[in-house]
Amino acid sequence: MRRNVKNSLSAVFSAQSENESLARVMAAGFLLPHPVTAEELADIKTALSEAVTNALVHGYREMEGGRVKVDFCLFSDGRVRITVTDHGHGIEDVERAREPFFTTDRAHERGGMGFSIMETFMDRVRVKSVLGRSTRVVLEKRLSLWK
Ligand SMILES: Nc1ncnc2c1ncn2[C@@H]1O[C@H](COP(=O)(O)OP(=O)(O)OP(=O)(O)O)[C@@H](O)[C@H]1O
Ligand SMILES: [Mg+2]
């Protein structure tokens, strides 16, 4: 394990909607042994759930057999980093996709607020996407009670 890494967990699951709640449970299981506040855990679960939902509904839209990878990492300075990766459609214009209310899915009455929610609840959100290939969302937050 890298020296500045306290703990890590990687999971790959099928692109099925029930696995969104599985990802939330994994976040809780990973963080609860550590000094995380109830509010921080709720924030992280909410942000993670938005990223996983995006991978399921946009990444693998009308695609069969997709898989989503979630990597959790807790660094020894109390930073949590969660990476959500899909190998689906990709995002044409990431900057635009991150704007509040931007959605490509009006048909299902989506609000275009997922990225804004991730940004509100996390310290840092990075998005890397290759059109037609993959999308990776990196969520970071520092635990306030960490010593
Ligand atoms: N993993 C992904 N793969 C492909 N496109 C994505 C992915 N994540 C986001 N997008 C694109 O970015 C847009 C904005 O995402 P965002 O989560 O902010 O809003 P939304 O999912 O459309 O609506 P909401 O999250 O409010 O239900 C999406 O409509 C979609 O076009
Ligand atoms: Mg969304």
Side-chain angles (χ1 to χ4, degrees), residues 50-103:
E50 291 294 333
V52 170
T53 302
N54 279 353
L56 300 176
V57 303
H58 302 299
Y60 291 118
R61 170 180 36 90
E62 290 163 14
M63 282 170 84
E64 295 278 317
R67 284 153 80 77
V68 179
K69 183 161 189 254
V70 182
D71 296 287
F72 298 88
C73 190
L74 176 64
F75 293 97
S76 37
D77 62 358
R79 262 179 315 124
V80 179
R81 178 189 291 163
I82 306 175
T83 306
V84 178
T85 308
D86 70 70
H87 296 280
H89 291 291
I91 302 176
E92 194 175 332
D93 182 343
V94 168
E95 210 178 314
R96 192 148 175 248
R98 291 179 70 146
E99 283 172 12
F101 309 112
F102 175 85
T103 183

Side-chain angles (χ1 to χ4, degrees), residues 18-42:
E18 65 262 35
N19 288 334
E20 185 251 304
S21 53
L22 175 65
R24 295 169 62 98
V25 171
M26 282 193 292
F30 183 73
L31 289 171
L32 276 174
H34 302 286
V36 61
T37 68
E39 192 183 352
E40 283 164 348
L41 182 56

